[in-house]
Amino acid sequence: MEQPLTKNIKAGQTLSLKEYEQAGGYAAVRKVLKNNAPQEVQQMVKDSGLKGRGGAGFSTGIKWSFVPMGDDARHPKYLICNADEMEPGTFKDRLLLEGNPHQLIEGMILAAYAIKADISYVFLRWAYRQAAEIMERSISEAYAAGYLGKNILGTGWNLEMYLHTGVGRYICGEETALLNALEGKRATPRAKPPFPQVSGLYGKPTIVNNVETLSCLPHIINNGAVWFKSLSASEDSGTKLYGVSGKVKRPGVWELPLGTTMREIIEEYAGGMANGYRLKGVLPGGASTDFLTEEHLDIKMDYTSVAAAGSRLGTGTMIVMDDATCPVGFVHNLQHFFAQESCGWCTPCREGLPWVEKILLGLEKGKGSTEDIELLQMHTQYLGPGNTYCALAPGAMEPLQSALKYFKDDFMAHIEKHKCPYGN
Amino acid sequence: MEKKELLTEIEMRAIDHEISLVPYKKAAVIEALKIVQKQRRWISDESIDAIANYLEMSAAEVDSVATFYNLIFRKPVGKHVILLCDSISCYVMGYGRIYQALQKRLSIQFGQTTKDNLFTLLPNVCLGCCDHAPAMMIDEDLYEDVKEEQLDKILEAYK
């Protein structure tokens, strides 16, 4: 089994520039900058079938293809790495940032070249202090080695790279909100269109890609589209960083073929449930994905299969809910997070999420009624897709609507017994 | 006349550097807030005015940005800030017990500062180390797999 993104990462260590180069690093940049036009790089990535690893799962090559190219395109163009990993239960990008920063920088250079960008940013969340130090140092190393700056490798192409650390708000991970944050504004999402590819940072053409997505690029360029597809155990190409947290024997993160089954990841890699606990539900890809249950354990963790089961692959980092954890309390915790992190820009999200949170708290305290269940159902519609600027509220509704479906008995027990049956 | 607080030399130099990296002054406001907070631990109304003045913005505009972000503090904080993760994986793994233990030891709740001004306790969204929940940060230090019985020792290091 090949693990291109993580094979050189050793726990608690960071690959230096020298070590990365010795492992074949920056060969893709050397190859492409000398031999290929930017559009050819776009085509290679399109052919590889790479999909965004940040949660949305959109084709990276197609995303790039909307950036205006040619002499009359407006400059500076921007390439931004979204390293604002704040989806609850998600801890995969941290490994790549801390373990192999030059793989990410090389991926950013390749992406920037593919769209002829002039300036690039790593948008990193504040809490990743170690990653901040590592990225700062690694970017300096890349400048010193001539991979960044003016006239890169004598090709006449210039690329600047900066590290920006955020000041904490989940919504900054939404790409248009991220652009506003970079411009020094409140991080509220922007209406689309115009899409960032045409009018992004400071109104200029901009691409925002996730850490894991960008880290795939050097390997795609070095080994080709056919190879990248062959890594997968599904229709979707490549490997995926999968994580498991909750009451399992060995919580962690592993790079596996895209389409590895949920059962294999949870039972073999994470060692199964901790002693005395049964699996009750799983959020397959972060807080804003629909619950799956024991009956879904054999589905493949790829974009299509998880969607067919009624959820989303999301970030691929699973949160396991055990049978001693109250589903109502669990969902209340999620909705508290979403209500707090709503930017307040549009009404359904700003008003709806605190209401949902309040209803769930009432239920958890044994003060709920059957009307509350109807109200929650109503919110899953009103806050669903199409009613808001961004995906925060619809994402928040995913675990709620599926909890109401799979754990209805637990909700009803809170109402009938006038208390939390789990003792909360 | 009201007393105007000015930015220090160090703050101005750091903000100037940030301004040099962006197309117009206003775009450096988040960096300016970070710089001033690093020096003064929190952002007072006077600091808002000083930044607004320096970046040629209205104070209301600076404040709207300052209040948006979780880690810009608009109230005084203690010498050390404890950020306890209250997101889902830490919920499942029992951050509640850690919160109760911290409340007991420090006699404060979320959003409060100890009487001796040493610690401020705040909830924080997912710290991105869910395989080592429960997690917390004190200032810039991350603590993973936190257990109640370790708290005394952890806190002692900041006293």
Side-chain angles (χ1 to χ4, degrees):
Chain A
M1 185 176 65
E2 289 188 79
Q3 296 173 308
L5 272 62
T6 55
K7 71 171 180 234
N8 294 316
I9 297 178
K10 291 187 188 74
Q13 292 179 32
T14 304
L15 238 65
S16 67
L17 175 75
K18 208 173 153 199
E19 288 164 332
Y20 182 64
E21 284 179 326
Q22 278 165 356
Y26 287 106
V29 161
R30 289 179 181 280
K31 181 170 140 187
V32 154
L33 262 55
K34 294 225 166 77
N35 304 315
N36 299 97
Q39 277 89 344
E40 290 178 300
V41 181
Q42 287 193 20
Q43 193 60 45
M44 288 181 212
V45 173
K46 215 185 274 179
D47 292 344
S48 78
L50 174 65
K51 289 181 179 175
R53 304 294 199 236
F58 190 74
S59 159
T60 305
I62 293 175
K63 187 174 190 177
W64 292 354
S65 70
F66 299 118
V67 174
M69 300 295 284
D71 294 340
D72 56 352
R74 291 175 309 131
H75 284 266
K77 291 192 220 172
Y78 296 96
L79 181 278
I80 295 163
C81 168
N82 187 346
D84 193 50
E85 184 163 70
M86 281 177 85
E87 178 77 18
T90 301
F91 50 100
K92 66 182 183 69
D93 292 340
R94 184 197 278 270
L95 177 71
L96 297 173
L97 287 157
E98 294 178 353
N100 200 347
H102 283 287
Q103 173 176 261
L104 172 61
I105 294 170
E106 184 176 19
M108 288 179 69
I109 297 169
L110 292 166
Y113 180 73
I115 60 162
K116 275 271 166 187
D118 312 273
I119 300 173
S120 58
Y121 287 95
V122 178
F123 190 101
L124 181 71
R125 65 174 300 191
W126 175 87
Y128 285 9
R129 300 317 302 158
Q130 204 193 341
E133 268 175 47
I134 290 167
M135 287 310 300
E136 194 78 67
R137 186 173 72 228
S138 303
I139 291 170
S140 301
E141 286 176 343
Y143 266 104
Y147 295 121
L148 290 170
K150 304 270 181 252
N151 191 21
I152 297 170
L153 303 176
T155 58
W157 176 56
N158 308 327
L159 179 68
E160 302 297 335
M161 188 176 287
Y162 305 109
L163 176 70
H164 174 96
T165 47
V167 263
R169 221 36 218 269
Y170 171 63
I171 193 65
C172 294
E174 199 279 339
E175 68 175 16
T176 60
L178 183 153
L179 299 176
N180 279 340
L182 264 183
E183 289 182 13
K185 298 174 183 160
R186 289 167 75 92
T188 50
R190 298 176 180 176
K192 293 189 266 192
F195 287 88
Q197 289 98 321
V198 179
S199 177
L201 190 64
Y202 302 113
K204 297 293 190 335
T206 303
I207 283 288
V208 183
N209 285 141
N210 166 262
V211 171
E212 188 183 350
T213 312
L214 290 161
S215 296
C216 289
L217 298 175
H219 307 289
I220 291 172
I221 300 297
N222 286 331
N223 303 301
V226 176
W227 168 84
F228 191 65
K229 284 183 178 160
S230 78
L231 295 176
S232 169
S234 69
E235 291 298 302
D236 296 314
S237 306
T239 59
K240 180 79 193 75
L241 265 66
Y242 293 110
V244 181
S245 66
K247 292 193 190 104
V248 292
K249 287 203 180 82
R250 292 190 302 272
V253 57
W254 309 273
E255 183 185 10
L256 300 171
L258 231 169
T260 305
T261 67
M262 195 150 70
R263 186 184 298 283
E264 193 179 338
I265 300 166
I266 293 175
E267 292 181 357
E268 290 183 27
Y269 291 92
M273 296 303 290
N275 290 338
Y277 295 99
R278 277 183 65 89
L279 183 144
K280 184 160 173 128
V282 181
L283 299 179
S288 51
T289 56
D290 279 277
F291 275 103
L292 295 175
T293 62
E294 212 174 355
E295 64 174 291
H296 300 108
L297 278 177
D298 290 309
I299 66 156
K300 289 179 161 201
M301 286 288 286
D302 61 68
Y303 298 94
T304 321
S305 307
V306 182
S311 187
R312 286 189 306 118
L313 178 62
T315 61
T317 40
M318 287 160 250
I319 305 151
V320 173
M321 184 174 76
D322 56 87
D323 61 346
T325 297
C326 172
V328 176
F330 188 102
V331 177
H332 172 259
N333 177 278
L334 295 175
Q335 301 305 325
H336 166 73
F337 166 82
F338 287 116
Q340 175 189 297
E341 293 301 312
S342 168
C343 78
W345 184 243
C346 52
T347 313
C349 185
R350 181 186 64 241
E351 304 297 324
L353 287 173
W355 194 1
V356 166
E357 184 194 348
K358 204 174 157 191
I359 294 169
L360 286 165
L361 184 64
L363 281 163
E364 183 71 338
K365 299 274 175 221
K367 292 176 186 152
S369 67
T370 47
E371 275 170 39
D372 288 332
I373 306 292
E374 285 162 34
L375 270 173
L376 290 175
Q377 293 283 10
M378 185 190 86
H379 275 86
T380 64
Q381 301 295 316
Y382 287 176
L383 272 65
N387 298 328
T388 54
Y389 275 96
C390 83
L392 189 145
M397 291 303 100
E398 290 180 23
L400 176 62
Q401 69 194 11
S402 46
L404 289 169
K405 185 163 115 193
Y406 294 122
F407 313 122
K408 187 81 178 268
D409 291 350
D410 286 297
F411 282 82
M412 295 314 290
H414 281 76
I415 296 167
E416 285 152 13
K417 294 180 177 147
H418 303 291
K419 64 173 189 181
C420 173
Y422 294 82
N424 286 351
Chain B
M1 229 174 84
E2 68 177 302
K3 186 176 151 241
K4 255 201 179 156
E5 192 175 338
L6 298 174
L7 297 172
T8 64
E9 242 345 276
I10 294 172
E11 289 166 342
M12 281 191 285
R13 242 181 295 137
I15 294 171
D16 286 342
H17 172 69
E18 295 301 331
I19 291 172
S20 76
L21 299 175
V22 289
Y24 42 85
K25 283 185 180 181
K26 242 164 100 157
V29 65
I30 294 176
E31 295 304 322
L33 286 162
K34 278 157 67 179
I35 289 163
V36 173
Q37 181 165 290
K38 198 170 179 192
Q39 300 296 323
R40 311 178 187 193
R41 298 218 300 261
W42 70 291
I43 301 293
S44 65
D45 289 352
E46 289 76 16
S47 299
I48 292 276
D49 283 339
I51 292 169
N53 191 39
Y54 200 69
L55 296 180
E56 295 166 6
M57 301 168 70
S58 74
E61 239 180 322
V62 176
D63 200 18
S64 83
V65 173
T67 52
F68 187 87
Y69 293 98
N70 298 340
L71 295 167
I72 297 294
F73 305 135
R74 283 289 277 118
K75 284 183 185 169
V77 292
K79 193 171 169 204
H80 303 289
V81 177
I82 305 172
L83 300 171
L84 179 64
C85 175
D86 67 349
S87 290
I88 194 64
S89 302
C90 286
Y91 171 81
V92 171
M93 299 309 286
Y95 91 86
R97 288 195 306 273
I98 306 298
Y99 179 37
Q100 279 173 8
L102 283 170
Q103 277 177 300
K104 219 164 136 190
R105 277 172 179 73
L106 302 172
S107 306
I108 49 169
Q109 299 189 329
F110 279 145
Q112 297 178 339
T113 301
T114 52
K115 277 207 182 98
D116 58 5
N117 249 339
L118 200 52
F119 293 107
T120 296
L121 180 59
L122 297 172
N124 200 78
V125 297
C126 183
L127 288 169
C129 44
C130 318
D131 48 347
H132 293 286
M136 69 176 186
M137 285 180 83
I138 302 182
D139 300 335
E140 304 210 347
D141 309 323
L142 176 67
Y143 294 91
E144 301 179 310
D145 301 306
V146 181
K147 289 178 188 63
E148 250 184 274
E149 54 269 27
Q150 299 169 332
L151 287 174
D152 284 332
K153 204 178 158 202
I154 291 173
L155 294 174
E156 197 56 43
Y158 296 88
K159 284 176 183 167

